[in-house]
Amino acid sequence: MEYFAGEYDIAVIGAGHAGCEAALAAARLGMNTILFTITLDGIANMPCNPSIGGTAKGHLVREIDALGGEMGRAADDTMIQSRMLNRGKGPAVHSLRAQIDRMAYHSRMKQTLEAQERLDIKQAEVVAIRGDGKDGVREVVTALDAVFRARAVILCTGTYLKGMVYVGDVSYPSGPDGTHAANRLSQSLRDLGITLRRFKTGTPARVHRRSIDFSALEEQQGDDPITPFSFDTTRPLVNRAVCHIAYTNEATHQTIRDNIHRSPLYGGKIEGVGPRYCPSIEDKVVRFADKPRHQIFVEPMGLDTDEMYLQGMSSSLPEDVQIAFYRTIKGFEQLKVMRTAYAIEYDCCDPLELKPTLEFRSVEGLYGAGQFNGTSGYEEAAAQGLYAAINAVRKLRGQPPMILDRASSYIGTLVDDLVTKGCTDPYRMMTSRSEYRLLLRQDNADERLTPVGHEIGLISDERYERFLRKQAQKKAEIARLEGTSIPPGEALSDMLVSRGTAPVATGVRLADLLRRPQVSYDDLAPFDPIRPALDRAVCEQAEVEIKYAGYIRRQLAQVEEMRRLENRPLPDDIDYNRIASLRMEAREKLSRVRPINVGQASRISGVSPADISVLLIYLEQRGGGSKE
């Protein structure tokens, strides 16, 4: 029989990366919060790769940190190797990626949750959410018949929701890493009117370190010095491990082709849609048949384990086939598999049913975050968990929502893509998804979002004061570089010629030299004796803003135009089917998405510029958006 077990402001279901950020943010903002997890041992688990960051994902982690989230600090505390990706390209796509000690990260995040005031953690499977579209959510019920009242619920179910694991012909209900799946909650969500669908992801094998011949692999060292994820991290970070690179070959590919009929992906057993940008090795072999080899990154799972992770080798082929194709790879001839690769299929929602706050339009007080919203990746999940929790708290307090636009952050771009365009496969953040990526660099995430985090209440006054001092130092250094000239000379000419740029015959401002693509801030140090001692991050931001000032001004003009449309709200009560001049497709799409402003409407697939003009005329006739 059911029993009443407690009452909370916010219940968070799932303690993966989305759930951890959601629970911490809600509790830190003063809400009595409960976090449910199927297993306490799965808190902040990394069932796929043991790393944080990567292309565009590093941007997300720094934005989470700038808003007051936890992922960046936890990653810095448990990092064992760090690299800055895309250094050969412009600063817009520089992306931090760190190899993480998997168990240390889990322990670090679990301890943080346990120490957080106003937060209770409960190992339990949630099997039902009670409420309706009129009254919103009211209760959550566990498999042991405990009933908890809650004013808001955030769903962070990851890959647990009706999870099904596939290895060749073998399939069985399971969550990640052999945990049991959440099999009963899906029906409860359908009863609330939420549309569910099936997505799929996969994870590579874990293998024993001693069975690898590292002399046959390429060594991959970390960076020095290391850039931290968190703007709060001031101590020096050190690399404590090395990674390696191996390559598939024709024998590997032939083994896979010979057994492709045994793949549940190609045999039709898997119904879920897999990630487009992180395909399995069998997908790579079939889709990129002209490629003679594929990279495999061999990465340690931690400092206190001999498990190694084979990034780039996810598979759902049978175990015997996996062993066979691994052993065709140079350095893997004697490979011993500790955990077999598998594919996992799970239920998730259609994010077009969400508001820009990540609250469901049909059920008040119910929010989605992470893979439940159709995304992939720890960083995307953590960003959504933080975002959903902030908006849930603000709604309970009667405050206006926090809606980050596309020009403010990758988080804003992520949410806008989900709720405006939807996704037909697991969504992965990439720098190419942002039209304002020169403004959304990872180095200036604090400048863009720390004021927001402070206003919300997740950034302390002390940290905000440090941020303001850093901004003042950056502005002063830019002004100094713009106002300081140096004379010509042989040493300066030699430096410029060595960098592949023309020497100067007259005095020149430091900022003008810095605008040359070949010249760096460090190059100018010998000619700048009055240079102040500044933190490396301050110098980096000053250099980027001077070097790319013209491009930045151009993007800011585009942002101004975008925000002009964002400032034209669309009333909730518009009946798009009654606007005769709209095309039929536009009426259908606008009625489904229910955009909150003209800017969002303009980004809906199937809504043309002509349709936007019709909307603007309609708003003028209606009186600027007031109700009829």
Side-chain angles (χ1 to χ4, degrees):
M1 294 183 61
E2 291 183 354
Y3 72 98
F4 174 69
E7 186 166 357
Y8 294 86
D9 296 311
I10 294 177
V12 179
I13 300 175
H17 301 280
C20 288
E21 293 291 349
L24 286 170
R28 287 168 177 172
L29 290 173
M31 293 289 155
N32 290 324
T33 306
I34 185 166
L35 174 63
F36 293 99
T37 175
I38 280 182
T39 171
L40 292 172
D41 297 329
I43 288 175
N45 185 27
M46 294 181 172
C48 193
N49 58 322
S51 69
I52 285 177
T55 303
K57 294 169 178 284
H59 294 66
L60 286 172
V61 181
R62 292 207 114 199
E63 290 180 356
I64 291 165
D65 182 76
L67 282 171
E70 192 65 28
M71 178 175 262
R73 288 193 291 267
D76 288 343
D77 288 345
T78 56
M79 179 274 301
I80 59 177
Q81 190 199 64
S82 179
R83 295 174 60 239
M84 187 71 76
L85 306 184
N86 301 323
R87 280 195 183 274
K89 301 178 182 178
V93 296
H94 291 177
S95 296
L96 190 60
R97 182 182 188 272
Q99 199 65 27
I100 302 297
D101 188 312
R102 182 191 191 193
M103 293 308 296
Y105 188 90
H106 153 73
S107 178
R108 159 67 166 75
M109 194 65 84
K110 183 170 182 282
Q111 290 169 2
T112 302
L113 292 164
E114 290 168 348
Q116 180 60 51
E117 294 182 3
R118 294 183 177 272
L119 175 60
D120 290 341
I121 308 168
K122 179 73 173 175
Q123 178 169 298
E125 179 188 351
V126 172
V127 297
I129 298 172
R130 291 176 180 161
D132 55 44
K134 179 181 178 182
D135 299 326
V137 295
R138 299 189 309 274
E139 295 173 341
V140 298
V141 184
T142 74
L144 299 181
D145 293 330
V147 178
F148 294 84
R149 294 198 189 108
R151 297 197 289 155
V153 174
I154 305 174
L155 289 162
C156 307
T157 52
T159 61
Y160 284 85
L161 205 57
K162 293 207 78 174
M164 180 69 73
V165 160
Y166 293 88
V167 182
D169 294 329
V170 178
S171 61
Y172 50 91
S174 177
D177 276 336
T179 53
H180 75 79
N183 288 317
R184 295 167 59 186
L185 182 57
S186 290
Q187 187 56 52
S188 176
L189 296 176
R190 288 192 177 93
D191 291 343
L192 288 172
I194 293 170
T195 303
L196 296 179
R197 53 192 180 165
R198 298 290 275 177
F199 273 5
K200 164 253 174 190
T201 190
T203 188
R206 270 68 163 178
V207 301
H208 201 292
R209 182 191 303 269
R210 287 202 311 267
S211 67
I212 299 172
D213 178 7
F214 287 100
S215 67
L217 310 185
E218 294 178 12
E219 190 171 89
Q220 190 176 49
Q221 294 282 350
D223 288 343
D224 185 25
I226 293 172
T227 300
F229 278 115
S230 176
F231 294 97
D232 240 5
T233 301
T234 56
R235 69 188 186 282
L237 301 177
V238 296
N239 291 298
R240 296 180 288 168
V242 295
C243 298
H244 294 80
I245 300 175
Y247 294 93
T248 63
N249 54 53
E250 178 53 33
T252 316
H253 300 175
Q254 191 59 51
T255 303
I256 291 170
R257 286 193 291 265
D258 289 345
N259 291 278
I260 199 71
H261 62 284
R262 299 181 65 191
S263 166
L265 186 64
Y266 286 89
K269 286 186 69 177
I270 294 179
E271 301 173 8
V273 182
R276 182 182 311 178
Y277 300 104
C278 190
S280 64
I281 186 61
E282 53 264 38
D283 252 355
K284 291 179 185 178
V285 169
V286 171
R287 288 165 53 188
F288 309 108
D290 57 324
K291 278 205 158 194
R293 65 179 190 174
H294 297 283
Q295 274 188 330
I296 308 159
F297 295 92
V298 184
E299 301 170 336
M301 298 287 287
L303 298 178
D304 300 322
T305 178
D306 280 330
E307 278 190 86
M308 304 294 288
Y309 171 83
L310 305 182
Q311 184 195 342
M313 290 287 280
S314 67
S315 178
S316 60
L317 283 164
E319 188 174 59
D320 61 306
V321 178
Q322 291 186 34
I323 294 169
F325 72 64
Y326 289 140
R327 290 182 176 174
T328 64
I329 295 165
K330 191 174 181 182
F332 290 179
E333 292 86 353
Q334 306 300 320
L335 199 70
K336 293 183 178 179
V337 175
M338 298 176 73
R339 304 192 202 207
T340 303
Y342 61 86
I344 185 168
E345 199 176 49
Y346 55 93
D347 281 353
C348 59
C349 78
D350 181 348
L352 290 176
E353 296 184 3
L354 300 170
K355 300 177 184 178
T357 58
L358 297 184
E359 182 183 23
F360 279 92
R361 287 197 301 270
S362 59
V363 185
E364 189 171 359
L366 183 63
Y367 295 76
Q371 285 184 272
F372 177 73
N373 287 354
T375 60
S376 68
Y378 310 144
E379 303 82 3
E380 290 90 340
Q384 292 172 76
L386 177 63
Y387 191 96
I390 289 171
N391 279 308
V393 170
R394 293 180 72 81
K395 178 164 186 173
L396 293 180
R397 288 178 173 168
Q399 296 173 323
M402 179 195 76
I403 297 178
L404 301 176
D405 67 26
R406 300 181 69 88
S408 72
S409 57
Y410 276 92
I411 296 177
T413 304
L414 163 65
V415 172
D416 184 66
D417 278 350
L418 289 174
V419 305
T420 303
K421 303 173 184 177
C423 56
T424 55
D425 54 79
Y427 177 102
R428 176 180 179 178
M429 178 49 69
M430 298 178 290
T431 53
S432 59
R433 293 193 188 273
S434 173
E435 57 272 50
Y436 309 114
R437 54 186 171 273
L438 187 54
L439 301 179
L440 306 184
R441 307 182 311 275
Q442 62 175 12
D443 66 86
N444 70 353
D446 58 340
E447 182 176 342
R448 294 181 280 113
L449 294 176
T450 295
V452 179
H454 182 252
E455 181 184 353
I456 287 167
L458 290 173
I459 296 291
S460 68
D461 291 341
E462 180 186 359
R463 178 171 172 179
Y464 189 60
E465 287 299 321
R466 291 199 304 272
F467 160 75
L468 293 177
R469 286 196 296 272
K470 177 186 173 186
Q471 294 305 109
Q473 289 173 345
K474 182 199 72 173
K475 290 177 182 177
E477 180 63 356
I478 291 174
R480 189 189 70 83
L481 292 166
E482 293 283 5
T484 301
S485 295
I486 58 174
E490 185 177 347
L492 178 60
S493 294
D494 289 347
M495 184 275 289
L496 294 173
V497 170
S498 72
R499 297 295 184 269
T501 185
V504 294
T506 61
V508 61
R509 292 186 306 167
L510 289 170
D512 288 334
L513 288 174
L514 198 52
R515 288 189 180 95
R516 298 188 181 194
Q518 306 91 334
V519 178
S520 72
Y521 185 83
D522 290 340
D523 289 335
L524 298 178
F527 314 100
D528 187 11
I530 62 169
R531 172 176 292 187
L534 295 171
D535 185 80
R536 189 163 59 97
V538 174
C539 302
E540 179 184 2
Q541 282 193 321
E543 177 177 5
V544 169
E545 291 193 19
I546 289 174
K547 199 176 282 290
Y548 296 93
Y551 298 101
I552 290 172
R553 280 195 299 271
R554 213 172 303 167
Q555 287 213 336
L556 287 171
Q558 295 169 356
V559 169
E560 189 175 340
E561 174 61 20
M562 181 270 290
R563 286 184 172 154
R564 185 182 68 81
L565 294 177
E566 301 282 323
N567 289 331
R568 297 297 302 272
L570 290 168
D572 290 337
D573 63 345
I574 290 183
D575 184 350
Y576 293 102
N577 291 314
R578 295 178 60 189
I579 305 177
S581 300
L582 283 177
R583 295 176 307 112
M584 184 63 70
E585 182 183 7
R587 293 183 205 175
E588 293 174 0
K589 295 289 182 66
L590 289 165
S591 297
R592 183 180 183 193
V593 176
R594 306 300 305 177
I596 62 172
N597 56 53
V598 176
Q600 186 187 359
S602 70
R603 294 188 293 274
I604 298 173
S605 174
V607 176
S608 70
D611 296 319
I612 296 302
S613 296
V614 170
L615 275 182
L616 289 170
I617 293 169
Y618 171 82
L619 290 176
E620 291 297 329
Q621 293 173 342
R622 180 171 165 141
S626 60
K627 293 197 174 188
E628 294 174 321

